[in-house]
Amino acid sequence: MRKLQVQGVHHITLLGADRQTSIDFWEGLLGMPFVFDQPNLDNPGEGHLYFDPGDGRLITIFTNEDRVGSSRPKRPAPGEVHHLAFAVSRAVFLHAVERLDERGIGHSGVKDRGFMDSIYFRDPMGLLIELASYKFEPPFGFSHADVLHEAHLVRVERSEYAIADIHVADAIERLIARRQGSLSADRGPKDPYGETFD
């Protein structure tokens, strides 16, 4: 028995509202370039719009001119999508509240998640959307997932509730120590000043 090894998300397809509402949301609000469209090949009565979320992968939207948007919250049933999270830079994140407010879009405000900050709001069909911004950059040669895995191990060793900034900082130090050798016999922390400062 062998696995079917995946190598990342290929695309995500959502049921959207009408064509223009979908374009206005995915490109006009979230800045995803509208890269191409065609009919839904399984349902010719619908459109199929393709957007680039910033990493060259695709978010695709099935549109229907008879579907009317409603940003009312929806309670997903087990097995359904709860929310989609999109990465944004720290610079963009710092302006997200202001830019949602200027459009009159209700949102959660900034939520501190320990290793990242988040803001939540709804798409035109009521799906919960998250803008997420990591509080750290992984060291060269490592991914965010590598750092978070190591931070989890640090957190569990300390019997602490959730990943916090200190776990991430210590995880990064561990990863660098494993990746890069040193001529020093003792790589532990040192006080190079040997004195206290008032």
Side-chain angles (χ1 to χ4, degrees):
M1 185 181 309
R2 290 173 285 175
K3 297 177 184 177
L4 298 168
Q5 184 62 56
V6 301
Q7 294 180 258
V9 173
H10 187 281
H11 70 277
I12 295 170
T13 299
L14 304 170
L15 291 178
D18 61 277
R19 176 185 173 85
Q20 195 58 53
T21 298
S22 298
I23 294 169
D24 289 349
F25 181 79
W26 296 100
E27 184 175 52
L29 174 63
L30 295 181
M32 296 183 189
F34 178 27
V35 293
F36 74 98
D37 73 337
Q38 62 185 23
N40 176 350
L41 299 179
D42 296 318
N43 181 354
E46 291 186 335
H48 195 179
L49 311 184
Y50 292 72
F51 298 88
D52 178 353
D55 60 3
R57 290 178 170 83
L58 297 168
I59 298 291
T60 80
I61 310 297
F62 288 147
T63 62
N64 186 313
E65 296 309 301
D66 296 328
R67 240 187 330 257
V68 178
S70 171
S71 60
R72 286 191 322 251
K74 294 183 176 155
R75 298 263 183 223
E80 292 182 341
V81 173
H82 182 273
H83 73 277
L84 290 180
F86 296 103
V88 295
S89 71
R90 199 75 192 152
V92 169
F93 190 86
L94 293 174
H95 296 278
V97 167
E98 173 189 348
R99 292 179 185 190
L100 290 169
D101 286 348
E102 70 189 14
R103 290 172 168 84
I105 296 172
H107 56 82
S108 65
V110 174
K111 302 286 185 183
D112 183 344
R113 301 303 190 202
F115 58 91
M116 68 181 194
D117 287 320
S118 299
I119 294 174
Y120 300 88
F121 56 98
R122 303 238 170 228
D123 85 344
M125 296 302 290
L127 176 65
L128 192 60
I129 301 293
E130 175 185 2
L131 299 181
S133 179
Y134 283 116
K135 295 181 181 180
F136 68 94
E137 288 299 319
F140 179 76
F142 292 100
S143 69
H144 285 92
D146 295 330
V147 174
L148 292 173
H149 174 73
E150 192 70 29
H152 166 80
L153 297 176
V154 172
R155 177 190 69 81
V156 169
E157 287 169 12
R158 297 174 185 171
S159 300
E160 294 173 343
Y161 180 68
I163 293 174
D165 295 333
I166 189 64
H167 305 122
V168 172
D170 292 347
I172 289 171
E173 183 179 344
R174 283 185 182 186
L175 291 171
I176 290 173
R178 279 204 302 264
R179 181 194 75 215
Q180 183 63 51
S182 172
L183 296 176
S184 297
D186 177 6
R187 292 180 74 172
K190 309 286 185 295
D191 178 3
Y193 299 99
E195 58 183 294
T196 58
F197 296 91
D198 295 330

